Amino acid sequence: MGDSPTHRGLVLVVEDEQAIADLVRMYLRRDGFGVQVETNGDRALEAVAALKPVAVVLDIGIAGRNGIEVCQSMRAAGDWTPVLFVTARDDEVDRLLGLEIGADDYITKPFSPRELAARVRTVVRRAMGPRPEGRTLDIGGVRVDVDKRRVWAGGAEVTLTHTEFDLLTHLMRHPGQVLAREQLLSEVWGYAAATGTRTVDVHIAQLRGKLGDDSPIRTIRGVGYSAEAP
Ligand code: CA
């Protein structure tokens, strides 16, 4: 795991052929995603619940629950994280289309990893909604100019690191919503929660120090953080 934040979020890759998993990981990381690989269906479901990835790349032919069953379990639990299926045979495609199991896209082996990464970008972008442009975010005394990446607290400009900026804007884009540490790690850093949620706490503390009394960040004990007017 590198030190620099992977700004597009964490992708869970469920694939039991290691050569393919390695290739997919390399291309997704190059595109700015964090990547967690699981090789069987039961572990995949646990990882979806624990790590809250921004997308799942799901091979159908895996041990334990197969890819289709994994997706069905997610949807039954109300989890609509984008799922991109990887199929090995045409009859699997027929099953996917026939079952209406809530796939967001699929790709057939052998595939170009570049093409797969492009499709992951697309489903993630679609799921996140349109990117606001020319937009400022205001909560209490804090103002963020998203495009220029500038921040003011109480009228004075504050200098933030890239990670602090991404964390603050992510919280301010979901005002009043409680975001779990695991969720912030996945969505802002692109890390799996296994790497330690203390990272989030440390960055929140730094951010609060810089924003001072105007900080809109509230701690929700035992859960995570939210941004709301003081
Ligand atoms: Ca397989």
Side-chain angles (χ1 to χ4, degrees):
M1 177 102 19
D3 287 325
S4 68
T6 40
H7 60 282
R8 287 183 195 265
L10 178 74
V11 175
L12 176 66
V13 174
V14 187
E15 174 61 71
D16 57 359
E17 289 173 65
Q18 194 176 344
I20 295 179
D22 288 347
L23 202 58
V24 168
R25 186 207 307 267
M26 187 177 86
Y27 272 80
L28 288 174
R29 288 192 68 86
R30 190 182 287 175
D31 263 7
F33 290 103
V35 176
Q36 170 83 7
V37 175
E38 294 294 347
T39 56
N40 83 66
D42 300 311
R43 291 289 303 276
L45 270 179
E46 287 169 21
V48 167
L51 307 178
K52 303 190 190 312
V54 295
V56 182
V57 175
L58 194 49
D59 182 24
I60 292 182
I62 46 173
R65 262 172 277 213
N66 70 36
I68 288 175
E69 290 165 336
V70 169
C71 186
Q72 282 173 324
S73 297
M74 287 171 61
R75 299 320 189 211
D79 184 331
W80 290 90
T81 305
V83 170
L84 193 151
F85 276 104
V86 176
T87 71
R89 304 189 309 268
D90 285 346
D91 59 318
E92 287 182 342
V93 176
D94 294 340
R95 276 179 78 197
L96 275 185
L97 300 177
L99 283 169
E100 293 182 13
I101 50 173
D104 292 272
D105 201 355
Y106 70 90
I107 194 164
T108 307
K109 285 180 183 175
F111 56 83
S112 135
R114 190 186 306 268
E115 169 71 13
L116 178 122
R119 288 176 183 225
V120 169
R121 285 201 306 272
T122 302
V123 294
V124 168
R125 191 167 54 234
R126 211 185 292 142
M128 300 250 177
R131 272 249 142 142
E133 286 184 19
R135 186 157 161 208
T136 55
L137 303 168
D138 285 279
I139 295 183
V142 172
R143 160 165 291 211
V144 175
D145 182 326
V146 178
D147 291 338
K148 299 200 174 98
R149 294 183 74 92
R150 295 173 71 183
V151 177
W152 295 264
E157 185 158 9
V158 179
T159 306
L160 302 183
T161 66
H162 283 291
T163 304
E164 288 162 356
F165 181 88
D166 289 345
L167 179 59
L168 179 65
T169 49
H170 194 75
L171 285 162
M172 288 178 69
R173 278 193 170 125
H174 303 85
Q177 191 179 322
V178 180
L179 299 172
R181 290 179 176 81
E182 293 78 7
Q183 210 172 343
L184 289 167
L185 264 187
S186 166
E187 292 166 357
V188 178
W189 278 264
Y191 285 179
T195 56
T197 49
R198 283 293 291 160
T199 305
V200 177
D201 300 332
V202 169
H203 282 83
I204 290 279
Q206 286 170 194
L207 206 41
R208 279 185 171 139
K210 290 184 179 180
L211 299 176
D213 292 340
D214 290 294
S215 170
I217 302 169
R218 274 191 56 197
T219 302
I220 314 300
R221 198 174 290 279
V223 184
Y225 299 97
S226 77
E228 44 199 275

